Amino acid sequence: MPERADQLLFSYGTLGHADVQLDTFGRLLEGEDDVLPGYTVDYAEIEDHRVVDLSGLAVHPIVRATGNPRDKVVGKVLHLTIDELDAADEYEVQLYRRVSVVLASGREAWVYVSV
């Protein structure tokens, strides 16, 4: 019996790219558009050559909390298994940490934010 994809992950960057998903999870993930309120997007230079080679980008978006409900980040909610969530943790570099948030849709999801 396959593991259920019952973990929600809000993606606003490279985890939404097909090449990154295929390499990291071995499949393309299902997802829906959503919004992360109270956050804004910054950018960080990535020094991990594996991540840069896979994503094709040396600079990745990274979100940080502002506390201002008018700030928002547009992205997608991806459906992952718990093992795939662990794989996402391995993909993300040390500039990011995973936290639980409530999205504009009211759904609770994981998101990678600035350390």
Side-chain angles (χ1 to χ4, degrees), residues 2 13-14 21 24 29 40 43 49 56 60 65 85 89-90 97 99 104 106:
T14 61
Q21 288 183 10
T24 305
L29 303 177
T40 191
Y43 293 89
H49 295 289
H60 288 203
L85 190 59
D89 287 346
E90 290 179 29
R97 67 184 169 92
V99 299

Side-chain angles (χ1 to χ4, degrees), residues 18-62:
D19 289 348
V20 173
Q21 288 183 10
L22 289 171
D23 186 79
T24 305
F25 310 117
R27 69 182 182 101
L28 295 177
L29 303 177
E30 295 180 27
E32 303 85 38
D33 294 338
D34 213 326
V35 174
L36 176 60
Y39 284 75
T40 191
V41 177
D42 286 330
Y43 293 89
E45 189 167 341
I46 305 300
E47 296 179 6
D48 185 318
H49 295 289
R50 183 188 64 82
V51 173
V52 172
D53 290 345
L54 181 57
S55 69
L57 301 168
V59 176
H60 288 203
I62 189 167

